[in-house]
Amino acid sequence: MKKSILLLAVLILVGCAMPKIIVIDDPLTAEQHNDLGVAYEEKGDFDLAGKEYEKAIKKNRDWVIPYLNLGHLYYRQDKLDQAERALRDGLRVKGDHPDLLNNLAWVLMEKGQLEDARTLIDKAIAIEDKEEYQDTRQEIVKRLKEK
């Protein structure tokens, strides 16, 4: 009886001490992670949204949308340094993408880096002349004049 109890105790201790390896294969695509991020962001769950955008980026580093969404998410939370970092990461991967340039120009404008912001928005407009880029440029120029 004592041997059975001792054996049982040893097995329990050994069983608890054994490392467990769990391999989780993420079946979701980058697009699905991004969509989840959008849904979480719309619900106001910014932490989960950010995690999903980052998963989307890891799944497809060449896709610009999660970088834009992550930058926007941080901007909405007034985390301008993190927004800048996310957008710059996207630019490192995608090169001179006009939407990334526009959003980064806006973030830099909000940070008071008006000359850098103007340089970026001019670059975006040179690539593609969109109304929202012109609006961003107009706001930057206005703030430069007020300075």
Side-chain angles (χ1 to χ4, degrees), residues 83-120:
E84 179 182 353
R85 192 174 319 113
L87 296 166
R88 287 192 187 279
D89 286 348
L91 285 169
R92 273 191 282 283
V93 170
K94 289 302 290 178
D96 290 338
H97 189 282
D99 289 337
L100 289 166
L101 291 166
N102 176 67
N103 290 13
L104 181 56
W106 191 272
V107 167
L108 293 180
M109 176 189 71
E110 292 292 334
K111 291 177 74 173
Q113 299 173 22
L114 299 174
E115 292 297 337
D116 291 339
R118 183 168 55 181
T119 299
L120 290 174

